[in-house]
């Protein structure tokens, strides 16, 4: 799943504002805090994309091709996705 830079920035600002409003964190340098939050979000989506690609490759390697979107494909996708996350300790 690709997410735009604008969307990441929007999410980062929302997280930053929520942390500050709820008095959970103080940010001496707002720009650096936002960059750190954006980096975390980008890292998260990057890992999720890698997991998705690994799962899809595994499903594509089956001798009997599963139809994407079918019930069987969805069940296997969820199973392999959970396994791949566990392998990566997520």
């Amino acid at each position: 799943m690709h997410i735009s830079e604008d969307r990441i920035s929007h999410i980062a600002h929302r997280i930053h504002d929520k942390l500050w409003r709820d008095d959970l964190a103080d940010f001496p340098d707002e720009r650096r805090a936002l960059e750190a939050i954006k980096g975390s979000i980008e890292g998260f989506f990057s890992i999720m994309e890698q997991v998705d690609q690994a799962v899809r490759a595994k499903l594509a390697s089956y001798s009997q091709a599963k139809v994407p979107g079918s019930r069987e494909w969805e069940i296997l996708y969820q199973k392999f996705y959970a396994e791949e996350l566990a392998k990566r300790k997520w």
Side-chain angles (χ1 to χ4, degrees):
M1 170 181 177
H2 177 73
I3 187 164
S4 72
E5 179 64 34
D6 288 342
R7 188 68 178 147
I8 289 172
S9 181
H10 175 74
I11 293 168
H13 278 86
R14 300 273 315 250
I15 291 169
H16 175 275
D17 293 346
K18 180 71 173 160
L19 289 171
W20 185 80
R21 267 194 320 272
D22 290 353
D23 203 23
L24 297 172
D26 289 321
F27 304 107
D29 186 347
E30 185 174 341
R31 186 186 59 76
R32 286 182 60 201
L34 283 169
E35 289 302 318
I37 295 168
K38 287 178 190 178
S40 295
I41 294 168
E42 289 168 351
F44 171 80
F45 281 108
S46 174
I47 290 169
M48 293 301 109
E49 181 67 28
Q50 291 170 13
V51 169
D52 178 70
Q53 289 174 356
V55 169
R56 289 177 184 274
K58 190 171 185 177
L59 283 168
S61 71
Y62 268 45
S63 59
Q64 291 183 341
K66 309 296 181 216
V67 177
S70 69
R71 181 161 170 72
E72 185 178 13
W73 188 90
E74 290 292 334
I75 290 169
L76 288 173
Y77 180 90
Q78 292 300 320
K79 177 183 177 219
F80 295 153
Y81 196 89
E83 290 173 0
E84 193 66 29
L85 286 177
K87 267 196 246 179
R88 295 167 189 250
K89 304 208 187 301
W90 268 74

